[in-house]
Amino acid sequence: MNASTTAPLPYRYRSADDAIDLFAHIHPADGPPLLLMHGLTRNGDDFDPLVPRLAGRYRLIVPDQRGRGRSGHDPDPSRYRPDVYAADMFRLLDNLGIDRVALIGTSMGGLMAMLMAFQAPERVAAIVLNDIGPELDPVGLRRIQGYVGPAKSFADWDEAADACAAINATAFPDFGPADWLAFARRTCRMERDGRIAFAYDPAIADSIGGDTPGTVPPDLWPLWDALSATPTLVVRGALSDLLSPATVAEMARRHDGPFVAQDVPRRGHAPLLDEPEALAAITPFLSRWWPA
């Protein structure tokens, strides 16, 4: 199937707890299914740079997690947690008749990938973790806590792009105005009054606050140890303040199965995954462990 002529199909479904309506884009293909899961304040559009590199070879499922993008907001913010998101993802896969899948998870999406592989190892063929692991650097965690919060809006897309740059400039030091505008259009949405706002429920801030945030379980190493047979690729931004080289090295030491690690230069948290170094790792990894 030719990716250039195949438009993504919108797909709506109910959450695992039947509480809210959720949204995903499905990119049809004859190849095996690949589930792409975004980070805390992002949505499925975060994978727009990567999708063209994989579409046509894989059946891509790209959801907006609850409280993000085109999915409904949860009236109970305590449910903004990886275990709840993972249950939603299993519901989505069940609805689509998918028994086995490979996972790509950015940041929070990577935590979900690890949890899903732990809960149902027979359903997960391989996982790609984008700048995330079982131990998070407190520096990066505090940075994320600092910008997730009360709703903000912007007069136009240029102002939104400036806001995105102010938050993420250290992660993408080579970005220019056009890059930040594209970033804003993936991360924000236009409200009914014509103003631009980040495309997430501000209440997700409740899940990331404090010394023991609900979004990050307190000790993920036992979870990681349970995944030692799962083929895993870790993509790390070389400038990352969330995933340290020491953590990646420990992940490799404790992993008995296939394990690959790749740094992406001039990227912090988190790479877009369309970088040459990221693609040079992702493409052969998937070809080996989840061949199209």
Side-chain angles (χ1 to χ4, degrees):
M1 188 171 291
N2 189 329
S4 64
T5 60
T6 304
L9 303 177
Y11 184 80
R12 296 193 179 276
Y13 64 106
R14 291 293 285 177
S15 59
D17 53 15
D18 207 36
I20 50 180
D21 291 323
L22 301 178
F23 177 89
H25 267 134
I26 311 296
H27 298 256
D30 296 329
L34 188 57
L35 178 64
L36 281 59
M37 298 178 290
H38 60 76
L40 180 72
T41 62
R42 309 288 179 82
N43 58 78
D45 293 349
D46 201 43
F47 290 104
D48 283 359
L50 175 64
V51 161
R53 311 304 182 100
L54 300 175
R57 288 184 292 138
Y58 295 92
R59 181 187 182 192
L60 303 179
I61 301 102
V62 191
D64 294 343
Q65 301 301 328
R66 62 172 67 197
R68 284 84 165 177
R70 288 143 290 210
S71 286
H73 293 187
D74 198 318
D76 180 359
S78 70
R79 292 195 291 244
Y80 286 140
R81 306 191 313 268
D83 59 318
V84 177
Y85 306 140
D88 290 338
M89 294 301 94
F90 283 125
R91 168 67 67 88
L92 173 59
L93 295 176
D94 290 344
N95 287 356
L96 295 172
I98 296 173
D99 295 325
R100 189 164 166 81
V101 68
L103 309 175
I104 296 180
T106 293
S107 195
M108 181 191 76
L111 297 180
M112 294 164 56
M114 288 190 285
L115 183 58
M116 291 174 69
F118 172 76
Q119 292 176 332
E122 73 284 357
R123 299 190 68 172
V124 177
I127 58 177
V128 177
L129 302 177
N130 184 17
D131 212 62
I132 195 70
E135 185 173 318
L136 307 186
D137 191 314
V139 173
L141 189 57
R142 286 194 296 270
R143 177 182 57 79
I144 294 171
Q145 290 172 324
Y147 71 76
V148 181
K152 300 176 183 178
S153 65
F154 314 103
D156 54 34
W157 284 107
D158 287 337
E159 189 175 314
D162 290 342
C164 290
I167 293 170
N168 299 284
T170 58
F172 302 98
D174 300 325
F175 269 24
D179 299 307
W180 288 119
L181 183 59
F183 190 101
R185 289 189 178 276
R186 294 192 300 269
T187 308
C188 302
R189 65 187 173 199
M190 182 175 288
E191 304 282 78
R192 292 180 180 178
D193 61 2
R195 291 183 65 82
I196 313 300
F198 289 114
Y200 64 82
D201 181 357
I204 67 171
D206 296 348
S207 70
I208 196 67
D211 295 331
T212 56
T215 294
V216 183
D219 184 4
L220 287 169
W221 283 112
L223 179 66
W224 175 252
D225 292 340
L227 307 182
S228 62
T230 305
T232 302
L233 165 64
V234 176
V235 177
R236 176 183 175 271
L239 305 178
S240 177
D241 61 358
L242 195 68
L243 180 63
S244 71
T247 295
V248 176
E250 181 66 7
M251 292 169 72
R253 188 187 71 81
R254 296 167 73 149
H255 199 274
D256 297 329
F259 181 89
V260 181
Q262 175 64 56
D263 271 13
V264 179
R266 305 289 293 172
R267 286 288 187 266
H269 183 77
L272 298 179
L273 300 182
D274 68 336
E275 299 88 355
E277 297 83 2
L279 290 171
I282 292 170
T283 301
F285 176 81
L286 291 176
S287 295
R288 174 67 180 86
W289 299 109
W290 196 229

